């Protein structure tokens, strides 16, 4: 769901794709399969929706599962929803932005994109602790991923957003190995035809992240309290918030 609006802080990493998801100038395989970005995120969204449908008793709050499009040309899908919401934004407690899923094994940390903005981080911290993990800021803030993601559209409209992903401190091989894998992904597969599924994917980390999202979402859905921006957040706004639907 990531897209450049405004231009990312720290440089534009986006590589333009062809109109049909192909790059005709590339010899051989030229299809942008997008296995990680963003097929993994869509699969995770569907898995979470199935989990919440099966959760009893039904949560007090309405839960909306939203798949957005048009991110690359300027977060068009999320901007449209913010301007035409199914549920009024003043009644929207929070947004959990599930982007790409972690492709490695379990990690000791959970990266929070846009760290330090809202107390949704405390919800994430509590869920992470139950998994033996801790939350930490994103490892490469210069990439501006929070500001290039659909999180930004909702944050600008005053709705607290949580955007997390399994971190770089790999449980078996440590943080140096994890950071090397991240840099390798951005250098060799991010927005390239080589972003393909292979049988050696370790999805245990992705399952941990989905469990964390479920626990945070379930807690919010069963509370009358609205999450709050931290006082020093650039997205903090003063407005009346109506009762949650």
């Amino acid at each position: 769901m990531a897209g450049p609006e405004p231009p990312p802080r720290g440089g534009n990493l986006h590589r333009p794709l062809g109109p049909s998801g192909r790059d005709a100038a590339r010899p051989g395989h030229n299809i942008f399969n997008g296995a990680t970005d963003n097929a993994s995120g869509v699969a995770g969204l569907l898995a979470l929706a199935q989990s919440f449908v099966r959760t009893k008793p039904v949560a007090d709050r309405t839960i909306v599962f939203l798949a957005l499009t048009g991110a690359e040309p300027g977060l068009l899908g999320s901007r449209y929803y913010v301007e035409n919401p199914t549920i009024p934004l003043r009644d929207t407690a929070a947004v959990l932005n599930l982007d790409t899923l972690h492709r490695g094994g379990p990690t000791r940390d959970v990266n929070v994109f846009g760290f330090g903005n809202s107390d949704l981080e405390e919800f994430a911290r509590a869920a992470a602790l139950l998994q033996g993990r801790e939350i930490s800021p994103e490892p490469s803030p210069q990439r501006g991923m929070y500001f290039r993601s659909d999180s930004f559209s909702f944050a600008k409209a005053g709705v607290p957003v949580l955007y997390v992903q399994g971190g770089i401190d790999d449980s078996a091989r440590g943080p140096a190995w994890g950071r090397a894998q991240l840099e390798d992904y951005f250098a060799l597969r991010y927005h390239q035809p080589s972003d393909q599924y292979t049988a050696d994917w370790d999805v245990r980390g992705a399952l941990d992240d989905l469990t964390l999202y479920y626990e945070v979402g379930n807690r919010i859905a069963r509370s009358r309290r609205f999450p709050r921006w931290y006082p020093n957040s650039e997205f903090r706004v003063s407005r009346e918030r109506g009762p949650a639907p």
Side-chain angles (χ1 to χ4, degrees), residues 102 104-106 172-173 202-209:
H102 183 68
R173 286 159 287 200
D202 186 343
V203 299
R204 291 177 297 165
L207 291 175
D208 284 345
D209 291 351

Side-chain angles (χ1 to χ4, degrees), residues 15-244:
R15 301 180 176 93
L17 309 184
S20 60
R22 293 175 179 266
D23 184 351
R26 291 176 180 264
H29 176 66
N30 60 12
I31 300 173
F32 291 82
N33 297 295
T36 302
D37 185 11
N38 193 279
S40 68
V42 174
L45 178 71
L46 295 174
L48 284 174
Q50 289 178 332
S51 295
F52 276 102
V53 166
R54 295 168 181 161
T55 298
K56 305 298 180 185
V58 175
D60 298 324
R61 279 190 167 130
T62 299
I63 304 173
V64 176
F65 295 91
L66 179 65
L68 299 163
T69 189
E72 301 297 339
L75 306 180
L76 299 183
S78 55
R79 287 170 56 188
Y80 180 85
Y81 180 86
V82 165
E83 295 168 1
N84 305 273
T86 301
I87 295 173
L89 296 184
R90 66 181 179 85
D91 294 333
T92 300
V95 168
L96 306 185
N97 181 17
L98 172 63
D99 205 304
T100 59
L101 291 177
H102 183 68
R103 292 175 57 246
T107 62
R108 298 184 183 92
D109 59 337
V110 181
N111 290 156
V112 178
F113 296 86
F115 186 81
N117 272 304
S118 82
D119 64 5
L120 284 171
E121 293 173 14
E122 301 310 315
F123 293 41
R125 189 188 309 277
L129 283 174
L130 293 176
Q131 300 175 325
R133 301 199 287 175
E134 60 182 22
I135 66 171
S136 60
E138 60 195 286
S140 302
Q142 71 277 9
R143 290 193 169 106
M145 300 302 289
Y146 186 87
F147 301 92
R148 298 163 54 193
S149 74
D150 293 309
S151 304
F152 188 56
S153 297
F154 290 97
K156 286 197 303 180
V159 182
V161 183
L162 180 68
Y163 174 16
V164 301
Q165 190 177 79
I168 61 171
D169 189 0
D170 185 84
S171 295
R173 286 159 287 200
W177 185 88
R179 181 177 288 276
Q181 296 304 301
L182 181 65
E183 296 300 330
D184 179 77
Y185 167 71
F186 276 107
L188 302 178
R189 283 179 288 281
Y190 181 63
H191 288 188
Q192 298 188 54
S194 51
D195 184 5
Q196 302 184 79
Y197 172 78
T198 58
D200 62 350
W201 276 26
D202 186 343
V203 299
R204 291 177 297 165
L207 291 175
D208 284 345
D209 291 351
L210 288 175
T211 299
L212 185 146
Y213 266 108
Y214 174 83
E215 295 297 338
V216 172
N218 196 40
R219 177 177 172 183
I220 296 170
R222 297 181 187 280
S223 170
R224 298 293 296 174
R225 176 183 172 278
F226 278 87
R228 300 179 180 90
W229 295 107
Y230 289 140
N232 62 342
S233 172
E234 64 185 284
F235 301 110
R236 184 171 180 262
V237 295
S238 177
R239 67 173 179 178
E240 288 189 356
R241 305 294 299 274

